[in-house]
Each structure stands twice: as structure tokens, then as C-alpha cells.
Amino acid sequence: GAGVSQSPSNKVTEKGKDVELRCDPISGHTALYWYRQSLGQGLEFLIYFQGNSAPDKSGLPSDRFSAERTGGSVSTLTIQRTQQEDSAVYLCASSPKGLAGAITDTQYFGPGTRLTVL
Amino acid sequence: GEDVEQSLFLSVREGDSSVINCTYTDSSSTYLYWYKQEPGAGLQLLTYIFSNMDMKQDQRLTVLLNKKDKHLSLRIADTQTGDSAIYFCAESRLSNTGKLIFGQGTTLQVKP
């Protein structure tokens, strides 16, 4: 597609349930990022995938959060046993190469998934 | 530290210029970005500047970078009501594998 797409656009779930959020990056982009945008916390980095390298998981807030990227394209962010503090907008971004210090590092964002945990 | 800071709110009248400011702390920043977020939407890349530049102009947008003071600004000329949004500055560093460090966003309100 022309841009980064994410699904669902909105997700309401009950505390304790698991959720999966999906991201389709721009075709040909090798780097994929997940960020979280919540009130009072701004935009926080969660995880980064680059090609076949081991992902940078340094931003994941707890072991309830995990992400996969299959076939170097689509990514799924999974949150297990959701808590109310997980309520936020989860944004996915992709970039052509994901190289720090290069303009090919420019990230293009999807519209986000708004997660509400009741 | 990792802080990127912005003022939270700016209100201007339509037709005036808007200046949104940002400060950052890490001297290893390579590229600095401005993103725009409209209500209910994702982040739209507006412009960027490489850290060895001090100015970049793109139509109504002017980015100024003072590397000594670690200060970045975005000037929007002839601000329109459609410019009302949240504006985020972000930095990318050589020490980080591509992740962006964002400011908390500046809400720009444009009054008719």
C-alpha cells in the first residue's frame, strides 16, 4: 500500500484479556518500529525490528508485551493480561533502512490503534 | 539524559506566524524532525534538518537549529486554521538504532 496501515483502528477490551495489534509497513521498508502514545507520557519507543537482526526490545514496559515480525513485513504487537494503564494509542512506523544517522532513517507513521482497557 | 522538551500550547491568529520551540540534550543527535498530528490521526512528517545545518526552508515552514544551545524551532508563516494540530519535535541519535526520542508535543491553536 501507499502508507503504513494498522488494524484495528480502535480496540476496547476488558482488563486481563490479551490483545493483538497489527501493522503493515510500507512495502520495501526494512525497519519497523512500535511506539505508544499515552496521556502524560507522550510518545514512547517500544520495539524496533531491522531486517533479520535481533529486535531492540529496550522500550517494552513489561514482559506482558511482545512483538513479532513475520517474513520481514507484517508485525504484531501482543499485550497479555491487559491492564488499565495499557490504554493508549499504539503507533507503528517504518523506514527504508533504519540506519541511525542517515536520512533513510526517516520514519513514516501509521494512523495508530487506540486501545481502551476497561 | 533523554529529554526533548517543548512548550505545551501555542495560540495564534490566522495569518500570523507561529514559532514552536524545542530543546534537546544529546549532542550526538544526527537528524531532527518535526511531525504534525491532527486529531484522531497518526503522525505526519513535516520536515527534518540534519545536525550540521542551521536552517532549512520548505514553503511556509522554516526550521532553525542552534546546535550550540541545542535549540530547534519551527516557524509556520501565514498560519491557517488547517495548521491547528499537535506538533512534535524528535531526534535521532547515532547511539540509538533508529529509534526517535520525542518531545511531549505542542498544541497549536489557530483562531480565525
Side-chain angles (χ1 to χ4, degrees):
Chain A
V4 178
S5 60
Q6 293 186 244
S7 61
S9 54
N10 280 285
K11 176 73 177 176
V12 179
T13 191
E14 293 178 349
K15 179 181 170 181
K17 302 278 190 184
D18 298 352
V19 295
E20 285 190 352
L21 313 178
R22 178 187 167 106
C23 172
D24 283 89
I26 292 172
S27 178
H29 281 191
T30 61
L32 186 148
Y33 309 78
W34 284 97
Y35 293 86
R36 178 168 73 173
Q37 184 177 22
S38 50
L39 284 174
Q41 297 293 325
L43 270 154
E44 305 170 272
F45 165 79
L46 296 177
I47 187 168
Y48 156 70
F49 295 92
Q50 163 64 344
N52 294 322
S53 302
D56 175 359
K57 303 180 182 179
S58 60
L60 294 179
S62 78
D63 59 8
R64 296 186 295 104
F65 287 72
S66 62
E68 288 185 341
R69 188 178 185 194
T70 54
S73 181
V74 171
S75 177
T76 303
L77 177 69
T78 301
I79 309 173
Q80 296 178 307
R81 305 181 303 281
T82 51
Q83 304 294 312
Q84 288 181 332
E85 62 262 28
D86 299 334
S87 296
V89 176
Y90 289 83
L91 292 164
C92 175
S94 69
S95 69
K97 291 185 180 178
L99 296 174
I103 194 51
T104 49
D105 191 35
T106 300
Q107 296 175 32
Y108 298 88
F109 282 77
T113 294
R114 181 174 296 278
L115 175 66
T116 304
V117 182
L118 301 177
Chain B
E2 289 221 330
D3 289 352
V4 176
E5 296 196 353
Q6 302 176 237
S7 52
L8 295 181
F9 186 78
L10 176 65
S11 180
V12 301
R13 293 228 171 258
E14 192 173 19
D16 289 349
S17 291
S18 307
V19 179
I20 302 171
N21 295 301
C22 173
T23 57
Y24 59 99
T25 55
D26 197 303
S27 57
S28 71
S29 295
T30 54
Y31 282 95
L32 295 134
Y33 302 84
W34 284 103
Y35 283 87
K36 176 184 181 183
Q37 186 178 39
E38 296 182 75
L43 272 68
Q44 173 195 351
L45 178 65
L46 280 181
T47 188
Y48 60 88
I49 189 167
F50 188 47
S51 57
N52 70 352
M53 298 169 63
D54 52 21
M55 183 179 118
K56 180 178 180 182
Q57 186 148 5
D58 184 0
Q59 299 182 334
R60 292 190 296 122
L61 305 178
T62 303
V63 179
L64 296 177
L65 175 61
N66 181 329
K67 196 169 182 182
K68 174 176 171 288
D69 294 338
K70 299 187 183 66
H71 182 267
L72 180 75
S73 68
L74 174 69
R75 179 177 181 270
I76 305 172
D78 187 25
T79 313
Q80 303 297 306
T81 54
D83 295 324
S84 294
I86 303 175
Y87 291 80
F88 292 91
C89 68
E91 59 169 345
S92 137
R93 304 171 184 168
L94 280 174
S95 56
N96 287 338
T97 50
K99 76 179 184 184
L100 294 176
I101 310 299
F102 283 90
Q104 59 268 64
T106 299
T107 298
L108 175 64
Q109 178 189 68
V110 182
K111 297 179 180 177

